[in-house]
Amino acid sequence: MDSITHTLFGLSLYGAADKEEKTKEYKRALLFTAVAGSLIPDIDVVSKLWDTEGLYQMWHRGITHSYFVAPIWALILYLACVWIWKTKNKKLFFIGLLSVFIHNTSDILNAWGTGILEPLSQARVTFGVIPIVNLVFWLIMLSGFLAVKTHKKSSHRVFRWVWGLMAFHVLLQSVVGYNLYQTVKQEYEQVALSADFVPFQFKAIGKNDGNVDIIQFDIWQKESGVTSLSSDDQANLAPLFAQNPQAKTLVQWSPFVVVVNDEQRLGVYDPRFYRNGESFLYEYIEK
């Protein structure tokens, strides 16, 4: 998910906690833990500063997003609360753990993919049932904030409903996406799913040998368009990898790629992000 959504998740998690009869120090520590825990896995963006081998695509959403590392982040946040606010409430550790878990899990729901099993596996887990920017999440959380401010409703009760509604939205999207995936899987050797910004609209990307189809489904799960692409899977990619290391990383990172081998370019791109005639995840060299 995007950073705005992760921040809103943290604020909503803080809102869902019962803070009655809690000290000011505890409330501050709780707010810090919920928001920082919702953002801290993305600290991997700083790896861009020393990436000289084109590995950032694998580093981002890698080890910092692993479920195995989540307790370490939670412990760091808890110790920070002890140091800054002298608060030793063990609930802060579990709030931190939950906020990191929500971050990592929400990231695997979109098409970008996450290394939630690192260091045991470098596989990028992706379900593609939620868009990276989900306006439905924003609307539900904004409604919760407005309900608390304008109607003076109990914060923790309102935001527990907020979390319930967001979970229900994910469930509906997942059911629709799974059914589409199973339908398309019958016709293609490789299939990937990508949710659009409009709820219940999806793209299914299927590949058979050198043929890739991007199938657009409308809100009623009816095909509304197909874009067909050709991939030169027999092309020698060694020169590409030697001159553009990011291309090798992209091939490792993506479920599958389209290989471009024409008179001008040798390259690869991820068809899940193909829009308006090109993919923004495209690595190539000029011939």
Side-chain angles (χ1 to χ4, degrees), residues 81-123:
C81 291
V82 173
W83 179 48
I84 299 171
W85 292 284
K86 314 302 180 187
T87 301
K88 297 183 179 181
N89 192 319
K90 299 299 189 296
K91 288 183 179 179
L92 293 171
F93 172 83
F94 293 104
I95 291 294
L97 185 63
L98 180 59
S99 61
V100 174
F101 176 82
I102 290 172
H103 180 120
N104 297 346
T105 302
S106 64
D107 277 354
I108 69 174
L109 293 175
N110 57 61
W112 198 266
T114 306
I116 58 169
L117 299 178
E118 288 199 10
L120 299 183
S121 170
Q122 288 193 320

Side-chain angles (χ1 to χ4, degrees), residues 63-221:
I63 189 68
T64 62
H65 287 65
S66 171
Y67 283 148
F68 300 114
V69 176
I72 298 176
W73 289 131
L75 179 60
I76 291 172
L77 295 172
Y78 172 72
L79 293 176
C81 291
V82 173
W83 179 48
I84 299 171
W85 292 284
K86 314 302 180 187
T87 301
K88 297 183 179 181
N89 192 319
K90 299 299 189 296
K91 288 183 179 179
L92 293 171
F93 172 83
F94 293 104
I95 291 294
L97 185 63
L98 180 59
S99 61
V100 174
F101 176 82
I102 290 172
H103 180 120
N104 297 346
T105 302
S106 64
D107 277 354
I108 69 174
L109 293 175
N110 57 61
W112 198 266
T114 306
I116 58 169
L117 299 178
E118 288 199 10
L120 299 183
S121 170
Q122 288 193 320
R124 289 299 179 262
V125 180
T126 169
F127 296 148
V129 296
I130 295 292
I132 293 176
V133 178
N134 191 316
L135 298 182
V136 174
F137 283 164
W138 288 16
L139 179 61
I140 293 173
M141 288 185 281
L142 177 61
S143 298
F145 288 121
L146 291 176
V148 171
K149 293 298 182 182
T150 60
H151 299 290
K152 306 300 180 182
K153 299 292 184 181
S154 174
S155 171
H156 68 278
R157 291 189 175 90
V158 169
F159 278 98
R160 288 174 188 181
W161 274 102
V162 165
W163 282 107
L165 289 173
M166 289 195 291
F168 184 64
H169 170 62
V170 170
L171 176 63
L172 291 180
Q173 287 275 137
S174 299
V175 169
V176 173
Y178 176 79
N179 288 334
L180 291 177
Y181 180 88
Q182 292 299 321
T183 300
V184 175
K185 190 178 180 181
Q186 299 175 15
E187 301 179 19
Y188 296 91
E189 298 170 357
Q190 295 175 286
V191 176
L193 201 65
S194 179
D196 281 350
F197 294 109
V198 178
F200 309 118
Q201 287 192 359
F202 289 86
K203 288 197 297 287
I205 303 91
K207 184 174 184 179
N208 285 327
D209 298 323
N211 299 313
V212 176
D213 291 331
I214 303 174
I215 311 164
Q216 184 73 48
F217 291 92
D218 63 22
I219 193 172
W220 311 111
Q221 287 77 65

